[in-house]
C-alpha cells in the first residue's frame, strides 16, 4: 500500500541530532592491538601492577577467542588491528575543578543536554561525563561523599579505592567471559565506579554520560557498581556519538554486585549513532552487562531504551544467587532503516524462591531486524523459582523483521516459568483514528509507540522518561506516511 | 453551503462502493442518512474523513468552499470535519486525557491559537465532560481500552464537544446504547447544535431521530441516495422496513 511505502521512505529520512563533532586537541594512540599498547594504556593511567597483569591475562584470552556466531545478524568483519585503543583530550593532567576543563568539552556536554556545572545541572542527578576514553568530570561528589557514597571515574577508583576494585573487578563478568568482554578487560580506558555503603540509600540518581568523538577509535568503558548490604542506588547511562561514515566499535562491560537486601536499578538510554539510511556508518555496540544478587533478598533491575547503534548485541543479565533475590529486565528496543538489534536478557536462578520478571518491547521499522533473545535457567537448588516473561513486537511497515528466541532450562520441578509473546503491526485504523482528530501521522505513531512502550518507560527515573519518550518519537520520525 | 458532495464515486479493493452520491448540507442543518446494512453509509463517512483504503474514482466534494478531497485526514479534521466512528479503536498506553490534549492542541494551532495551559485544559475538559455526562474516571484510562460499547460512543461525543467541529458525522452512534445513554448522547448533541454547525447522522433506526430531529432524511442504498425527504421518510422506513425499497430498486435497475 502506498501509505506504507511512504512510511518507510520518511522513516529512512530521519536525522540524528547529536551527530556533531567536537574539535579539540586529542592524544590518540596509533592503531594496533598488542601487549605494548596495553602496557601503554596502563602506564598512562598509572595503574598498579596487578591491574596490568589482569589486562594482559584478558588480552591473552582474547587472542584465543572467536567471534560469536549464534546471533541473528551477519557479524561484521572487525579488524582489531585497525582500531586505536586510546584517545584522550590533550593537556589534561587531571582536572581538579571544572575551571580546568577545556571549555569546548563543557560546551559539548551542554549541547548534549548534560550541563556539568552543578549550578545548571538537573537537580538530584549526579553525572560522570566520559569523553572518548576519559572521564571529564563528576558532579556532586561532595554531597555524595557525605553519605559515604563513592562515585568517581574508574581510573580514580583504582587509585583511591584499590581494595574495592580489586575485590570486585571481574567478579561478575570474568576477564575471559566472551571476546568483547575480554577485549574490554584488556584495553578499557575509563568508566564509572560506584560504591554504596551498608544501609545507605543513595540520595540522588547517579548517571554516566558517554560521548564518542574521536575517529577510528573504539570506546571501551567499564562500570562497576557495588551496593553493600541494605544499600540502594538508581543509576542511569546515556550516550551519543558523531555521525561518521565508518563504523565504530563500542565494547563496554558493566558489573553490578548487590549484597544482602541491596537494590540496584540500572537504566540505559542508548542513543549511539545508528548509521545513515543506507546503513552506512554507525556504532557496533557489543556490550556485556551482568549483575549478581549475592545476598538474600537482593534486587537488580535493568531498564533499557535502545534506539541507536547500527548493531546492538547485549543481554543484561542477573545471577540470582541469594535466596529470595529478584531480577528484572525492562526493555524497549527500536530499530529503523538498516539497524539490527539482537538483545534480551539472561536470568540465572540459583537461590531458593528467586524471582525474575522480563518485559521486552521491540519496535521495528524500515528494513531493520529486531531480535529478543532470552535465557532463563533454574538450577537444582532453586526451589520455587519463578519467572514471568512478556515479549511483544511491534512492526511498522512490512520490510522489517521481529524475532524472539526465548530459551528455558529448568533443573527444578518446582519452578514456575511463564512466557507470553505477541506480535502486532502498527494499526492503520489506530493511525487513521488519530488523524481524524487532527493529529498528523508522525505524532500519531509517536503516541502509539510511546503507549506501547509505556510499561517500560514507566520504570525509568522521571527526568529521563520524558527524554526517552522524545527519543522514541525522533527515532521513528516519519515512520508512517 | 457548508458541504457539497457532487456525484461522488469511490471504491475499496477494486470494488465500487459509492456510485454517485449527491448531497448538499448548509450550516444549521441536520441531515440523517438511513439504509440497510452494507449500503455504503460508513463508506461515505470514511471517504469524507479521508480513510486511505478508499479510492475516490469520480466526483467532487467541497467543504466551506475548499476541495475536501485534496486535504489530508488531519487537515480535514482541523478544518472542522468530525467523524464519530461506528467502531472507535483502542490505543493501549495512551491515556484519554493525553490524546484529547494532543487533538485540542492541533485544532488550536490550526486556528493560530496557543495551546491551553494545563489549568485551562482541565477546566475545558471538565465543562465538556459535564455536557455529555462522561465519567471522569475514564479520562486517565487508556484510550477506549476496555471501555464498554456505550462508553466508547460517549467518548466520541466528548471529543465532538471538545473539538467544536463545523460538520459532525455520527456513524451509528446510537447502536449499542441503552435508552438512557441514547438520551444523554442526544441531549449532548442537541446542546451543541447551532446555526453555524451541521450534523450528518447515520443511523439504522429512526429511534435516534426522535431525540435529534433532522431537517432532512436520505436513504442510501447500494451506493446511491435513492430517496430524500423530511422526517416523515424516516417514520415510513421504520414502518415498512427496507424490503419494499430493495424490490422497487431492482425493478428500476435490472439485475445483471
Ligand atoms: N475494506 C473493505 N474491503 C472490501 N469491502 C469493503 C470494505 N469496507 C467496506 N466494504 C464493503 O462496502 C460495502 C459498504 O459497507 P459499509 O459502508 O460499511 O456499509 P454500511 O455502513 O451502510 O453498513 C459493503 O458491501 C462492505 O462489505
Ligand atoms: Mg456502517
Amino acid at each position: 500500500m502506498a501509505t506504507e511505502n511512504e512510511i518507510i521512505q520518511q522513516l529512512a529520512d530521519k536525522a540524528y541530532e547529536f551527530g556533531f563533532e567536537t574539535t579539540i586537541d586529542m592524544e590518540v594512540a596509533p592503531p594496533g592491538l598488542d601487549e605494548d599498547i596495553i602496557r601503554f594504556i596502563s602506564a598512562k593511567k598509572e595503574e598498579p601492577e596487578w591491574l596490568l597483569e589482569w589486562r594482559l591475562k584478558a588480552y591473552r584470552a582474547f587472542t584465543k577467542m572467536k567471534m560469536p556466531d549464534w546471533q541473528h545478524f551477519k557479524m561484521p568483519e572487525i579488524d582489531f588491528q585497525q582500531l586505536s585503543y586510546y584517545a584522550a583530550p590533550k593537556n589534561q593532567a587531571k582536572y581538579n575543578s571544572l575551571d580546568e576543563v577545556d571549555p569546548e568539552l563543557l560546551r559539548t556536554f551542554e549541547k548534549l543536554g548534560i550541563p556539568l556545572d552543578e549550578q545548571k545541572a538537573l537537580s538530584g542527578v549526579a553525572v560522570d561525563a566520559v569523553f572518548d576514553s576519559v572521564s571529564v568530570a563528576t558532579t556532586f561528589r561532595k554531597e555524595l561523599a557525605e553519605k559515604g557514597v563513592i562515585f568517581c571515574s574508574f581510573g580514580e577508583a583504582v587509585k583511591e579505592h584499590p581494595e574495592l576494585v580489586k575485590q570486585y573487578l571481574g567478579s561478575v563478568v570474568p576477564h575471559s567471559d566472551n571476546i568483547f568482554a575480554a577485549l574490554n578487560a584488556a584495553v578499557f580506558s575509563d568508566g564509572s565506579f560506584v560504591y554504596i555503603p551498608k544501609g545507605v540509600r543513595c540520595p540522588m540518581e547517579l548517571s554516566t554520560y558517554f560521548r564518542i568523538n574521536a575517529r577510528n577509535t573504539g570506546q571501551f568503558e567499564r562500570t562497576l557498581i557495588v551496593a553493600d548490604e541494605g544499600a540502594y542506588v538508581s543509576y542511569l547511562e546515556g550516550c551519543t556519538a558523531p555521525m561518521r561514515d565508518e563504523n565504530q566499535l563500542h565494547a563496554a562491560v558493566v558489573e553490578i554486585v548487590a549484597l544482602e537486601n541491596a537494590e540496584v536499578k540500572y537504566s540505559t538510554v542508548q542513543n549511539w549513532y545508528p548509521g545513515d539510511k543506507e546503513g552506512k556508518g554507525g556504532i557496533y555496540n557489543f556490550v556485556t552487562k551482568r549483575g549478581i544478587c549475592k545476598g538474600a533478598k537482593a534486587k537488580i533491575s535493568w531498564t533499557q531504551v535502545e534506539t541507536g547503534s547500527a548493531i546492538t548485541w547485549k543481554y543484561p543479565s542477573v545471577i540470582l544467587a541469594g535466596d529470595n533475590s529478584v531480577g528484572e529486565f525492562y526493555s524497549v528496543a527500536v530499530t529503523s532503516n538498516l539497524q539490527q538489534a539482537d538483545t534480551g536478557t539472561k536470568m540465572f536462578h540459583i537461590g531458593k524462591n528467586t524471582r525474575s520478571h522480563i518485559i521486552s518491547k521491540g519496535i521495528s521499522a524500515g528494513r531493520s531486524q529486531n531480535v529478543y533473545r532470552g535465557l532463563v535457567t533454574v538450577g537444582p537448588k532453586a526451589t520455587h523459582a519463578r519467572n514471568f516473561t512478556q515479549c511483544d513486537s511491534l512492526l511498522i511497515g512490512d520490510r522489517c523483521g521481529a524475532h524472539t528466541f526465548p530459551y528455558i532450562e529448568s533443573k527444578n520441578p518446582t519452578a514456575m516459568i511463564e512466557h507470553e509473546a505477541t506480535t502486532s503491526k502498527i494499526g492503520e485504523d489506530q493511525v487513521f483514528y488519530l488523524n481524524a482528530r487532527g493529529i498528523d501521522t508522525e505524532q500519531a505513531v509517536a503516541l502509539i509507540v510511546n503507549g506501547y512502550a509505556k510499561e517500560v518507560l514507566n520504570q525509568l527515573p522521571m527526568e529521563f522518561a520524558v527524554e526517552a519518550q522524545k527519543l522514541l518519537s525522533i527515532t521513528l520520525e516519519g515512520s508512517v506516511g | 453551503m457548508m458541504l457539497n458532495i457532487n456525484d461522488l464515486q469511490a471504491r475499496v479493493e477494486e470494488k465500487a462502493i459509492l456510485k454517485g452520491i449527491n448531497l448538499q448540507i448548509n450550516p444549521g442543518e441536520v441531515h440523517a442518512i438511513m439504509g440497510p446494512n452494507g449500503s455504503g453509509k460508513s463508506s461515505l463517512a470514511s471517504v469524507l474523513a479521508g480513510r486511505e483504503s478508499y479510492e475516490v474514482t469520480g466526483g467532487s466534494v467541497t467543504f466551506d468552499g475548499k476541495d475536501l478531497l485534496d486535504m489530508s485526514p488531519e487537515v480535514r479534521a482541523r478544518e472542522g470535519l468530525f467523524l464519530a466512528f461506528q467502531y472507535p479503536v483502542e490505543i493501549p498506553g495512551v491515556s484519554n486525557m493525553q490524546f484529547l490534549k494532543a487533538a485540542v492542541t492541533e485544532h488550536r494551532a490550526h486556528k493560530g491559537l496557543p495551546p491551553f495551559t494545563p489549568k485551562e485544559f482541565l477546566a475545558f475538559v471538565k465543562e465538556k465532560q459535564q455536557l455529555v455526562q462522561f465519567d471522569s474516571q475514564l479520562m486517565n484510562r487508556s484510550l477506549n481500552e476496555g471501555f464498554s460499547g456505550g462508553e466508547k460512543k460517549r467518548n466520541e461525543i466528548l471529543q465532538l464537544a471538545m473539538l467544536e467541529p463545523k460538520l459532525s458525522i455520527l456513524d451509528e452512534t446510537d447502536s449499542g446504547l441503552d435508552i438512557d445513554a441514547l438520551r444523554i448522547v442526544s441531549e449532548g448533541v442537541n446542546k451543541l447544535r447551532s446555526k453555524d454547525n451541521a450534523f450528518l447522522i447515520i443511523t439504522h433506526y429512526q429511534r435516534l431521530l426522535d431525540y435529534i430531529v433532522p431537517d432532512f432524511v436520505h436513504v442510501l442504498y447500494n451506493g446511491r441516495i435513492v430517496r430524500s425527504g423530511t422526517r416523515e421518510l424516516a417514520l415510513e422506513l421504520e414502518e415498512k422496513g427496507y424490503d419494499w425499497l430493495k424490490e422497487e430498486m431492482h425493478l428500476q435497475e435490472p439485475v445483471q
Side-chain angles (χ1 to χ4, degrees), chain A residues 444-457:
Chain A
V445 171
L447 271 172
I448 295 166
V449 164
N450 275 303
Y452 164 81
K454 195 176 192 174
E455 238 179 311
V456 173
L457 298 178

Side-chain angles (χ1 to χ4, degrees), chain B residues 37-38 40-43 86-87 171-172 202:
Chain B
N37 269 331
K41 303 184 296 295
S42 292
S43 298
Q86 182 173 5
Y87 304 107
D171 190 359
E172 300 212 20
I202 296 170

Side-chain angles (χ1 to χ4, degrees), chain A residues 1-3 6 428-441 443 447-448 450-452 454 469 481, chain B residues 49-52 73-74 77-78 82-83 85 89-94 98-99 102-103 106-107 144 156 159 163:
Chain A
M1 196 170 299
T3 359
E6 284 166 29
E428 226 167 285
D429 283 353
Q430 291 175 327
V431 173
F432 179 63
Y433 187 79
L434 297 177
N435 287 160
R437 298 297 176 255
I439 297 167
D440 68 25
T441 300
Q443 203 192 338
L447 271 172
I448 295 166
N450 275 303
Y452 164 81
K454 195 176 192 174
Q469 271 183 27
Chain B
R51 193 187 277 275
E52 300 228 8
E74 63 271 20
R78 294 173 200 159
F82 182 90
L83 169 60
F85 284 76
V89 303
E90 303 186 356
I91 304 189
V94 177
Q98 187 188 2
F99 157 70
E106 291 300 333
H107 276 71
N144 290 329
E156 294 294 291
Q159 293 165 37
L163 299 179

